[in-house]
Amino acid sequence: MSTLRPWTTAALVLAVGLAACGKKEADKAEANASSDARTVTVTRVELRSLGSGLTASGRLIPREEAAVGSELSGYRVARVLVEEGAVVRAGQPLAQLDDTLLRAQVDQQAAVTAQAEAEARRVAGLDGQGVLSQEQIETRRYTAKAQQAALKELRTRSERMTITAPVGGVVLERTVRPGDVSGGGTTPWFRIARDQLIELDAELNEADLSKLNVGSPVTVTLPAGTQVQGTVRLISPQINAQTQLGRVRVRLPVRADLRAGGFARAVFGGGGREVLAVPETAVRYDAEGASVATVGADNKVKQVPVKTGQRGGGFVELVQGPPAGARVLLGAAAFALDGDVVRPVEGAAGAPNQKATR
């Protein structure tokens, strides 16, 4: 093994010393840069459901209600076949009237009608022969027709002794009891919500109505806190002159927890669709358009152009821009340039209540 010369050893020691010194200077410069970095609040691009900011409370009502009763008077209710809350089909029996006396009347009328028809058949072909006067012949024929009509009326009444559902749906109310006597009045015995359809009837002012369209999504919150997704079905064509409010009907799915007469709260807008969004304070507007300032893993700022969409609740949709999870500056985009090193602090989304620079 050869022995290192003295001057070679000295050179190596000097090189190592210079390298160590350079590293210390670099570490010192980095520490100084880190200490000079400005502390900023950041949030993340995330999926959110944005509403239009329009809210209203309203009453849950049947989309279409059928009132059912009896047109007949003086008959006792023999049986009631359904209760409130029952789901019925169209034509299903709901109540039965006592038809004991009516059956006897039908049988008696059937016998009278048969006799009248027989008398009418006996004079068939006797017109103008002088056996009977024409008046007698016509009287027998008219009598047969009258008795036939009377029998038909009794049979129709007999058919109506069974009260049936005109539509399918859920029974909202039942006011009749066994033993009641039908009076042919206007008070319905049953109220049925057709097809079990319950919807929200809300009121909005004229300016807000103009922002809605048929088919617009609506998030409805029930008293228990359950949220139901619906759509605008109908927007009133007129405004109440006294209240200056117009009505909006919201179509809702068939659910057991939607009860007519209850109240619910509606948020109109994109409640059912989640979109990538950031707080409005994170978006900067200038001559080149909208942008956000992202903060990378190296804590360096980068301006990224974005295309915005719908807004709601202090947030704005990013139709184009950084991906979900990316860190963006809140309210400081106007003071940060590309390449700036910052000290990011995660904050609650939308916490800084600052206006976006336009």
Side-chain angles (χ1 to χ4, degrees), residues 23-235:
K23 185 176 185 302
K24 289 180 180 179
E25 291 297 330
D27 291 343
K28 182 178 180 181
E30 183 177 351
N32 290 336
S34 177
S35 62
D36 293 339
R38 182 157 44 92
T39 301
V40 296
T41 304
V42 297
T43 187
R44 296 191 181 262
V45 179
E46 59 184 1
L47 286 172
R48 280 184 172 271
S49 295
L50 301 185
S52 65
L54 300 181
T55 61
S57 296
R59 192 164 58 93
L60 296 172
I61 63 173
R63 176 173 177 176
E64 184 177 327
E65 184 178 307
V68 187
S70 176
E71 301 174 357
L72 307 177
S73 299
Y75 293 95
R76 183 177 60 84
V77 177
R79 291 181 298 162
V80 178
L81 306 174
V82 297
E83 296 290 341
E84 292 179 355
V87 177
V88 298
R89 65 182 185 280
Q92 179 176 333
L94 304 178
Q96 178 67 50
L97 300 179
D98 186 354
D99 61 350
T100 304
L101 294 178
L102 184 58
R103 288 201 306 270
Q105 293 174 343
V106 170
D107 292 341
Q108 181 180 6
Q109 184 61 40
V112 173
T113 301
Q115 182 179 359
E117 289 174 342
E119 293 293 332
R121 286 194 295 270
R122 291 193 186 98
V123 299
L126 297 182
D127 298 82
Q129 295 185 13
V131 177
L132 291 173
S133 67
Q134 193 62 32
E135 182 179 357
Q136 291 176 316
I137 294 174
E138 294 298 334
T139 298
R140 293 188 182 186
R141 290 173 178 168
Y142 290 145
T143 300
K145 291 181 179 180
Q147 297 301 334
Q148 289 170 354
L151 179 60
K152 183 178 180 180
E153 191 274 334
L154 287 175
R155 285 176 173 169
T156 300
R157 180 172 298 195
S158 179
E159 293 173 356
R160 295 184 179 178
M161 298 295 280
T162 301
I163 311 302
T164 60
V167 297
V170 60
V171 178
L172 300 176
E173 183 181 26
R174 189 206 83 176
T175 61
V176 66
R177 302 167 300 175
D180 287 348
V181 177
S182 62
T186 58
T187 302
W189 288 357
F190 302 93
R191 291 172 46 238
I192 300 175
R194 183 178 66 83
D195 298 331
Q196 306 180 58
L197 294 176
I198 303 297
E199 60 186 23
L200 179 66
D201 181 26
E203 290 185 324
L204 290 171
N205 61 52
E206 186 175 3
D208 289 340
L209 281 180
S210 63
K211 301 176 184 178
L212 299 181
N213 296 299
V214 173
S216 297
V218 185
T219 300
V220 176
T221 303
L222 304 180
T226 305
Q227 288 191 335
V228 182
Q229 299 302 322
T231 56
V232 175
R233 182 183 71 84
L234 178 67
I235 300 175

Side-chain angles (χ1 to χ4, degrees), residues 48 50-52 270 273 275-280 283 285 290 292 306-321 358:
R48 280 184 172 271
L50 301 185
S52 65
R273 186 171 68 95
V275 296
L276 287 178
V278 295
E280 290 183 334
V283 182
Y285 299 89
V292 295
V306 297
K307 181 179 179 181
T308 60
Q310 64 175 318
R311 299 169 184 268
F315 289 83
V316 58
E317 175 188 4
L318 296 185
V319 179
Q320 293 179 359
R358 294 183 179 272

